[in-house]
Amino acid sequence: MINVLIVDDSAFVREFLSKVISEDKELNVVATCQDPYKAVEVINSKTKIDVITLDLEMPRMDGLTFLEKLMSQKPIPVVVCSSIAEEGSENAMKALELGAVEVITKPKMGLRDFFEEEKYRIHDAVKSAARTNMNILRSSVKRIKTFKPTVSGSSQSSGDSGHLLARTTNKLIAIGASTGGTIALREVLTRLPKTTTGIIITQHMPEGFTKSFAENLNSECEIDVMESDDNLKVMMGTAMIAKGNTHLEIVRSGAYFVSKVVRDKGLVNRHKPSVDVMFDSVAQNVGKNALAILLTGMGKDGAVGLKTIKDAGGTTIAQNEASCVVYGMPKAAVELGAADYVMDLNEIVKMIIDFHD
């Protein structure tokens, strides 16, 4: 049983979110609190708490301040559920950087319908958070906080001839990630040089968040990072992140690998974007010239696709358990025999740098 603490200043949200969470037999709401100070009282009691759902806009202490204090003093997995964590907002990105496992954006109006429509996503988010390796998450958050960008902010590229290197490659790198992936991807991408083979990425994130995430990374990385769009060439020194609420596929166009944004296909493995969709297109169109990597995340999305790439002759990697925030997706891949290598992030960075024509 997963014990959940709800922290939200709205009595309606506390009541209805509690009802929705309690509909899952694996979840148990142990308490609800109207502000962080009340939450601290519960946390310091003998009550066992596995996951906290947290609003960001509250009286007496805002959610981000509470999250930062919690992670430094008594870390507990947190799912942010807030109306001010608007799609693509800095609040959402900041929450993830401070150690939130998931961010769910709730509307200011129509909350009852929202909770009914999104209850399975809420259940999945809480269960995913409960499986978080907090030691890994804490150490990753500390590295991010001490990280000093050396790049003033390279301009985003659409892969055209104006790019600094403006050259295609016969190879391609594909990375899939979910829970904990925003931190893992930051650790990887910020260490890559401009000479890195072109990268495509599927990170499970809602629409709007992916644009903000890409822009955030672009300001910190030497490579150019952008959100996916139709017909973008995959170029050396670039990384393309699948746009939320779409699937990212790769097709061949002459000498180039080109992005294809799929909007009319539904959820795959309960996700859109789905890692398996991206990996399947890589297996079909890149084959032995692909390096595919499956990072931290709950569930199995990407495991079958990674095996498909391996069977097509590509090189495949699964992140190891010791470095994962949630060892779900990589574990599924390893159990399926889909991974040529099982590595930590340092080893993965070296493989990416060494993977070129």
Side-chain angles (χ1 to χ4, degrees), residues 16 22 29 41 121 135 151 153 167 218 236 278 331 351:
F16 213 80
S22 298
V29 177
E41 292 178 11
R121 182 182 164 210
N135 290 329
V151 183
R167 55 171 286 202
N218 190 56
M236 177 182 287
M278 180 182 73
K331 179 183 179 182
M351 283 286 287

Side-chain angles (χ1 to χ4, degrees), residues 35-338:
D35 63 50
Y37 289 95
K38 293 292 184 182
V40 169
E41 292 178 11
V42 176
I43 292 168
N44 289 336
S45 71
K46 294 182 180 180
T47 305
K48 179 178 179 289
I49 300 170
D50 299 305
V51 178
I52 296 173
T53 68
L54 178 67
D55 189 15
L56 295 184
E57 191 175 27
M58 292 180 291
R60 302 175 69 193
M61 183 189 295
D62 68 88
L64 290 175
T65 300
F66 172 68
L67 178 60
E68 185 170 25
K69 290 179 181 294
L70 181 73
M71 289 301 148
S72 64
Q73 297 172 16
K74 193 169 183 177
I76 297 172
V78 171
V79 174
V80 167
C81 187
S82 178
S83 60
I84 70 166
E86 295 173 355
E87 292 181 353
S89 76
E90 285 303 310
N91 290 318
M93 292 300 105
K94 184 65 175 176
L96 291 168
E97 289 177 10
L98 290 175
V101 178
E102 299 276 0
V103 176
I104 295 173
T105 305
K106 66 184 182 189
K108 295 183 184 294
M109 304 293 289
L111 281 170
R112 188 182 300 272
D113 290 340
F114 167 78
F115 283 129
E116 281 293 344
E117 292 168 2
E118 296 293 323
K119 64 182 177 182
Y120 296 116
R121 182 182 164 210
I122 293 169
H123 294 165
D124 287 346
V126 172
K127 291 177 184 178
S128 178
R131 290 169 173 80
T132 298
N133 184 325
M134 291 306 294
N135 290 329
I136 295 297
L137 185 61
R138 283 187 77 188
S139 61
S140 299
V141 167
K142 286 179 181 178
R143 284 194 292 272
I144 287 176
K145 289 177 72 173
T146 58
F147 173 74
K148 303 295 182 184
T150 56
V151 183
S152 59
S154 54
S155 60
Q156 289 195 8
S157 166
S158 62
D160 58 24
S161 59
H163 185 261
L164 178 64
L165 295 173
R167 55 171 286 202
T168 184
T169 64
N170 290 318
K171 295 190 174 184
L172 179 144
I173 299 168
I175 303 175
S178 187
T179 311
T182 55
I183 292 175
L185 285 168
R186 179 174 273 103
E187 288 194 53
V188 170
L189 298 183
T190 54
R191 296 163 60 186
L192 301 179
K194 272 285 194 184
T195 52
T196 301
T197 296
I199 301 171
I200 58 171
I201 298 165
T202 288
Q203 162 72 47
H204 295 159
M205 285 183 114
E207 187 174 3
F209 284 19
T210 46
K211 185 175 189 296
S212 181
F213 183 49
E215 290 173 349
N216 197 302
L217 284 172
N218 190 56
S219 69
E220 298 178 3
C221 294
E222 185 174 333
I223 63 173
D224 291 336
V225 184
M226 69 203 76
E227 185 183 48
S228 67
D229 202 348
D230 280 314
N231 299 313
L232 297 184
K233 298 171 185 174
V234 181
M235 306 297 292
M236 177 182 287
T238 67
M240 189 187 309
I241 298 175
K243 184 176 183 178
N245 200 34
T246 72
H247 297 295
L248 173 60
E249 294 182 349
I250 287 298
V251 297
R252 192 84 182 186
S253 178
Y256 295 95
F257 296 120
V258 177
S259 61
K260 178 183 177 183
V261 175
V262 180
R263 297 175 173 85
D264 56 1
K265 189 173 185 177
L267 301 180
V268 175
N269 299 322
R270 297 177 74 165
H271 292 287
K272 188 178 181 180
S274 162
V275 181
D276 268 335
V277 172
M278 180 182 73
F279 278 176
D280 285 346
S281 73
V282 170
Q284 182 176 347
N285 295 293
V286 186
K288 66 180 181 180
N289 289 328
L291 171 63
I293 303 162
L294 196 55
L295 300 178
T296 173
M298 182 179 171
K300 298 182 179 180
D301 188 31
V304 172
L306 198 73
K307 182 68 162 59
T308 304
I309 291 173
K310 181 179 179 179
D311 291 344
T315 303
T316 57
I317 303 172
Q319 187 178 353
N320 68 358
E321 182 175 8
S323 66
C324 276
V325 171
V326 177
Y327 188 56
M329 286 157 45
K331 179 183 179 182
V334 171
E335 291 177 346
L336 194 62

